[in-house]
Amino acid sequence: MRKNIKKVKRKGYALESIIAVDDTPQKWERSYGNLVRVNPFEGDETDDELKYLLLYLERLRYEENIRNVEKRLWRNQLARSIGESEISNPQQVTSPIDEVD
């Protein structure tokens, strides 16, 4: 099922300020500029995805147009900005939406 972000626009929200967080990018093909892709939670108690997502969303907080921000490699961007060599992400898989320019 694809998500139609235009419904939110009709409610008066600017698409430039909406962030969608989802583990199924296929749902957001039409609005990938609003998507921050996360990995699905598989029950691993050491999963830090949401901790890092919170840090990343804090950095997006003051962006004028969220749709213009490159979010496909958000983990790498965050790792560089917080001084970590990488953010471990053993579950990460790519999909065609990750490769859209």
Side-chain angles (χ1 to χ4, degrees), residues 4 14 20-21 24 26 32 36 48 53 55 64 66 68 70-71 76 85-86 90-91 96 98:
N4 188 352
V21 176
T24 51
Q26 297 81 5
Y32 69 88
V36 176
D48 287 335
L53 176 64
L55 293 172
E64 296 269 328
I66 213 65
N68 290 337
E70 175 57 61
K71 295 174 286 300
N76 295 346
S85 59
E86 69 177 50
Q91 303 172 26
D98 292 328

Side-chain angles (χ1 to χ4, degrees), residues 5-65:
I5 203 163
K6 302 290 185 197
K7 290 180 182 179
V8 178
K9 183 178 180 180
R10 286 193 296 264
K11 298 263 185 201
Y13 295 96
L15 296 181
E16 296 81 17
S17 64
I18 296 171
I19 299 172
V21 176
D22 204 325
D23 64 351
T24 51
Q26 297 81 5
K27 292 179 183 177
W28 296 95
E29 286 176 337
R30 296 181 190 154
S31 302
Y32 69 88
N34 297 87
L35 178 65
V36 176
R37 179 165 183 230
V38 295
N39 290 310
F41 180 69
E42 303 287 335
D44 181 358
E45 292 181 18
T46 64
D47 185 331
D48 287 335
E49 186 85 341
L50 293 181
K51 176 180 89 171
Y52 290 119
L53 176 64
L54 178 61
L55 293 172
Y56 183 66
L57 292 176
E58 277 293 321
R59 285 164 169 61
L60 294 180
R61 183 179 192 173
Y62 299 105
E63 289 292 332
E64 296 269 328
N65 186 343

